[in-house]
Amino acid sequence: MSTAELIVPPTRTQDAGPAEIARKCLYYMCQMREVEDRIERKLYRQGKIVGGVYVGRGQEAVSVGTAVLAAPEDVLFPSHRDMAALLIRGVTPGQVFAQYMGRVGGVTRGKDGNMHMGDLKLNIVSIISAMAASVPVAAGAALALRYQAKNHIVFCYFGDGATSRGDWHEGLNFAAVQKLPVVYICNNNQYAYSTPVARQMSCANVADRGPAYGIPVEIVDGNDVLAVHEAGRRAVEHARAGKGPYLLECKTFRMTGHSAHDAADYVPKHLWDEWAKLDPITRLEARMRDQGWATEAELDALHARIRGEVDEAVAWAEKSPYPDPATLLEDVYEAW
Amino acid sequence: MPTTYLEAIREGLWEEMERDANVFLIGEDIATYGGAFKVTAGFVEKFGEMRVVDTPISESAIVGASIGASLMGLRAVAEMQFSDFITCGFDQIVNFAAKCRYRWNAPVPMVVRAPSGGGIHGGPFHSQNPEMWFVRTPGLKVVTPATAYDAKGLIKSAIRDNDPVLFFEHKGLYRRIKEDLPPEPYTVPIGKARIAREGRDLSIITYGAMVWVALEAAGKLAEEAIEVEVVDLRTLLPLDRKTVCESAKKTSKVLLLHEDTRTGGMAGELAATLTETVWDDLDGPIVRVTAPDTPVPFSPPLEEAFLPNAEKVIEKARWLFRY
Ligand SMILES: Cc1ncc(C[n+]2csc(CCOP(=O)(O)OP(=O)(O)O)c2C)c(N)n1
């Protein structure tokens, strides 16, 4: 297999075989890792990033394993650690870097920053900062899709902490009552800022909340992208068949502080060590080698290729200008 | 050793918790972590988990529980991680807390601390100044300290107050300003403005971080022999109309300044008050310098254009002085 074959176009994997799924997933997981490493470990330290940085290191399998299942017309509501959902949809790494640097080339043209990216042309709805605020909005998007007699569905992402908000509960309940086509994807990364999940909720799993709303649930190893993909496929089929929402809880770990300025001293050291062994990219690569889906040389070539793409993207973003202050007053409303 | 604005709030909280066993803190990541801005670092070690309560991400529960506990005789001090998230507890504040006393004569002696304000490249959801959503809610008190001295004195008064108080602490001031504080305990009364600088030619009426912008502008204008008086409101609700009007009477020219956006901002209320009360004493139109009516933009050049600064104030003040 050549490198070119490893780097697969952003099409759906709903009906693909395991080798093809693995290759697609690996590409996007590595791309997300590289883009976020560049932001958090290089550009941020160089003082080139504006504002805060929240990355999904160690959780890449969650957004990748699910977002590759989406049809272009399906609507995505990524949260702040779901970078791959944006990349898979066609947001370019250059746009992401420009966004983080406050340049006009960013998805929000400098009006907003970091992971607050949305583009209706790509059927991506931007988050706001308030956790879980997207959840009722996702129900509304699903309502519209059904109203318009479109057989498309909504992918709604959030963390464990977000499920404590009233908006989360209202959004889920409404979607369930209406049997709306929403797939909920929870990245349970064990922490919400400094708060461990046991201080966030008294049930063992986020998924335990699903039955209270009459929503079927599944708990999956969130660091095994093929397992996420398998479970995701069931969730998507359920929602697309008009059977209502489905809640997928992906158990994973936030392999970083809450944000770039957080040393996360509150996380016991043994957790870092245990979860480091479960790195989703390392695991997928091992599987691919074992299965003969990729050779070492091909994997090396993939990483080199991604690094090159990311270098180019950073250079592009750094050439993108800052917004003209004259645009400050634009776009509060539709122009008239 | 000078005390920062942040340490001053911390000291005020600490002293009140030592003084009154009914005072407790509640919020996200405030115990073990010590809060997103570390205002409450070390509190759980000293006061224990009963008095420093970590919560899930549930602002409505934080405010609601604060109300409930305060109705039962405690004094809750709730922390919003950023003031922008106060919206998630909005109903509890404006409908539950604010109306208890008027409806059934029940006091709700609680404080909601909310780190607010821009200039930190926080973007639309980590930079807002949400005070006016509450200033138009009778039953609440709204406090906006500008100095370390006032931050400490006002948080203490807020905790002792028998009505719900929203305490907007400006993030940009946390570590930027410091001053020597008196070693002995003191409070600063809610509802009293302060003359931050005396002058005879023109009054700038402002609050929060903009007090420092006004003082910077006043310093530069003094070099042009324009003597500016700076009024620091300190409390927006109840408003110290007397101090505002006296300053306007004295200088006969008024510039209103706030970091919050323009329409429905504090300046509108102040202008109406001044027009009603001291119209005959004014020698020029009441002018304002505020942020424009947009969300707070993220990118530095946009945010710079958005925020009021000394240059913008000086330009307006010169115009008014010559009027
Ligand atoms: C309503 C609200 N309150 C507080 C915050 C501050 N905050 C930002 S992220 C975060 C933790 C989120 O945890 P979780 O939902 O588990 O997502 P994770 O960051 O772990 O992916 C908090 C408390 C917020 N964004 N929104």
Side-chain angles (χ1 to χ4, degrees), chain A residues 61-268:
Chain A
V62 177
S63 51
V64 172
T66 49
V68 290
L69 287 158
E73 302 86 354
D74 292 339
V75 182
L76 267 47
F77 286 73
S79 192
H80 56 294
R81 302 195 202 276
D82 303 309
M83 175 73 81
L86 302 166
L87 299 171
I88 288 167
R89 263 307 153 94
V91 173
T92 67
Q95 285 178 292
V96 171
F97 291 122
Q99 168 89 0
Y100 271 88
M101 296 178 190
R103 310 298 178 96
V104 283
V107 178
T108 60
R109 306 151 353 270
K111 291 284 172 69
D112 203 344
N114 58 56
M115 287 300 286
H116 296 174
M117 287 180 265
D119 185 347
L120 282 178
K121 288 191 292 299
L122 301 174
N123 285 315
I124 303 168
V125 178
S126 169
I127 45 168
I128 64 169
S129 285
M131 293 293 118
S134 283
V135 178
V137 183
L143 193 80
L145 292 174
R146 189 176 63 187
Y147 191 106
Q148 294 157 347
K150 292 176 179 160
N151 191 28
H152 306 310
I153 66 172
V154 172
F155 290 60
C156 179
Y157 294 83
F158 43 80
D160 42 285
T163 71
S164 296
R165 282 282 328 285
D167 275 6
W168 188 85
H169 293 266
E170 294 187 25
L172 248 75
N173 184 53
F174 176 58
V177 168
Q178 284 284 334
K179 275 198 176 319
L180 295 173
V182 188
V183 174
Y184 296 109
I185 300 133
C186 176
N187 80 74
N188 183 343
N189 62 9
Q190 321 289 329
Y191 280 89
Y193 209 151
S194 77
T195 306
V197 89
R199 303 281 291 169
Q200 193 69 240
M201 54 194 201
S202 65
C203 44
N205 308 293
V206 168
D208 295 346
R209 295 174 160 171
Y213 297 112
I215 295 178
V217 299
E218 200 167 331
I219 298 177
V220 63
D221 175 351
N223 283 27
D224 176 348
V225 74
L226 298 180
V228 172
H229 188 271
E230 265 315 297
R233 196 184 330 235
R234 286 187 286 275
V236 165
E237 277 164 9
H238 178 92
R240 222 182 281 287
K243 294 181 191 162
Y246 197 100
L247 169 59
L248 201 61
E249 177 177 3
C250 306
K251 301 279 195 191
T252 183
F253 198 74
R254 194 190 70 198
M255 290 299 290
T256 154
H258 167 65
S259 61
H261 71 264
D262 171 27
D265 299 328
Y266 47 82
V267 176

Side-chain angles (χ1 to χ4, degrees), chain B residues 271-282:
Chain B
T273 297
L274 290 163
T275 308
E276 285 166 349
T277 320
V278 292
W279 173 250
D280 291 340
D281 299 292
L282 295 181

Side-chain angles (χ1 to χ4, degrees), chain B residues 256-267:
Chain B
L256 306 169
L257 167 65
H258 53 69
E259 184 183 312
D260 190 11
T261 51
R262 198 169 188 83
T263 302
M266 196 63 202

